[in-house]
Amino acid sequence: MTSQFKTLLLLAALSGLIIVIGGMAGGRTGIIIAFIIAMVMNVGSYWFSDSIVLKMYHARELAYDEAPALHDMVEELARNAGIPKPKVCVVPEQAPNAFATGRDPNHAVVAVTEGIMQILTLRELRGVIAHEIAHIAHRDILIQSVAAVMGSTIVMLANMLQFSAIFGGNSEDRPNPLAAILMAILAPIAATLIQMAISRSREYLADQGGATYSRDPLALAQALNKLQQAATRVPMQSGNPSTAEMFIVAPLFPSSVAKLFSTHPPIEERVARLTQMAGASPAQAGSFTQPGNQFGSNQFGEAPADTRGSSAGKNRFGDL
């Protein structure tokens, strides 16, 4: 089953939940009211998602002369994906990570942390950028926004159902109190699980798309291995756990506890799929490429910095 088809099935499951719980809470009118409220609440966050998230992480746009290699990478991979070149931003975070945002390919941003530039080779970074370009090309921000609207609708309908069960009087239209309370509790949990499944499905699809655009699946596999190991050592200092699904690997926040559910599929599974695409073994994805392999100074206009210290990030970003 393809990731695209899984996404459609999961969105259909959310729609089914809305119909069932809406019918219990207030029939067709209840569904319409809840959906309108959810749409109003979420459309603003979708329309301004790029500016909201970038401000949250104190990101700033990078000029070309600050990071020519990074800009050239983004331009090349965007061209491969058939989309306009996104803006390029840097996040002042030592936690190595990256994300894409923007409501459509014409208003897109690729953001990288300072930390990711310090531990990845240019080849591995190219794999990461290709993954983020795939998110933009696949319009994943829109898909996740639609899922968020549906999830919000379900939560509001659940609250309406609970209120109706408790204070609905003796009307024949009043739902069974026990069934209503049970549905009010379980429906939001089910909606959250479905939203997380959608996020995981889109991550697999972005891995596949990124590997296609870069024509180098192993580069992304090697980067994912490095980023996973680094995430446990260097937690994200800013932002909010609610934005975790945006990042290429799930960031760990200092105040957060272990989560029962993850917005990202297991790194091991993602690496296995990428190495299979490359016709390689998992061991090859674990043997990190040394700086200078394949993507050297001739292609990017500067020699790749090494991966051993903070000087790598400084060399590529200039005065950052």
Side-chain angles (χ1 to χ4, degrees), residues 5-305:
F5 186 58
K6 285 180 182 176
T7 301
L8 290 175
L9 284 181
L10 291 166
L11 289 173
L14 283 175
S15 302
L17 266 177
I18 290 174
I19 293 171
V20 171
I21 195 172
M24 292 180 67
R28 182 180 300 176
T29 302
I31 297 175
I32 293 173
I33 291 173
F35 190 81
I36 290 174
I37 294 173
M39 183 66 72
V40 171
M41 289 173 57
N42 285 278
V43 72
S45 62
Y46 163 67
W47 195 261
F48 299 107
S49 61
D50 52 349
S51 58
I52 292 172
V53 174
L54 293 174
K55 286 180 181 177
M56 181 185 298
Y57 286 97
H58 309 290
R60 71 173 182 86
E61 188 171 356
L62 279 171
Y64 180 85
D65 58 1
E66 291 182 273
L70 182 58
H71 273 274
D72 289 345
M73 242 184 253
V74 172
E75 183 174 12
E76 175 218 348
L77 293 166
R79 185 169 57 249
N80 292 349
I83 63 171
K85 179 190 175 187
K87 293 180 181 178
V88 181
C89 290
V90 62
V91 176
E93 273 279 356
Q94 288 306 302
N97 226 314
F99 65 86
T101 186
R103 63 183 183 271
D104 58 47
N106 292 314
H107 302 86
V109 178
V110 169
V112 297
T113 65
E114 292 178 2
I116 202 172
M117 298 294 292
Q118 296 173 11
I119 72 165
L120 297 189
T121 66
L122 284 178
R123 179 191 175 198
E124 291 160 353
L125 182 62
R126 184 171 177 269
V128 168
I129 298 300
H131 171 98
E132 300 306 332
I133 290 291
H135 274 309
I136 296 169
H138 298 162
R139 297 179 180 267
D140 284 337
I141 304 300
L142 174 60
I143 291 170
Q144 290 173 349
S145 297
V146 170
V149 169
M150 290 183 173
S152 299
T153 303
I154 288 168
V155 171
M156 277 184 285
L157 285 171
N159 291 334
M160 290 170 57
L161 179 60
Q162 193 170 12
F163 183 87
S164 175
I166 298 172
F167 302 105
N170 296 318
S171 169
E172 292 183 0
D173 295 331
R174 180 187 179 190
N176 179 285
L178 183 59
I181 292 174
L182 189 62
M183 177 65 77
I185 294 171
L186 295 180
I189 295 174
T192 299
L193 290 174
I194 292 171
Q195 284 180 264
M196 289 179 174
I198 289 173
S199 177
R200 290 192 291 269
S201 180
R202 304 313 293 181
E203 286 301 312
Y204 281 133
L205 197 62
D207 284 345
Q208 181 181 348
T212 301
Y213 301 147
S214 68
R215 304 179 185 88
D216 190 4
L218 274 185
L220 178 54
Q222 291 165 351
L224 288 174
N225 271 327
K226 277 189 179 179
L227 295 175
Q228 174 73 358
Q229 293 172 23
T232 60
R233 297 194 305 268
V234 188
M236 189 74 72
Q237 296 298 319
S238 62
N240 191 297
S242 64
T243 61
E245 67 183 25
M246 296 181 58
F247 290 87
I248 187 167
V249 295
L252 299 176
F253 294 87
S255 59
S256 66
V257 295
K259 298 179 177 63
L260 292 177
F261 310 111
S262 175
T263 56
H264 291 64
I267 291 293
E268 296 78 11
E269 177 63 24
R270 295 172 68 182
V271 168
R273 292 187 181 203
L274 288 164
T275 52
Q276 186 177 18
M277 286 184 67
S281 66
Q284 287 177 274
S287 58
F288 303 138
T289 305
Q290 294 301 311
N293 267 6
Q294 298 189 36
F295 299 99
S297 58
N298 290 338
Q299 181 166 349
F300 287 101
E302 60 177 19

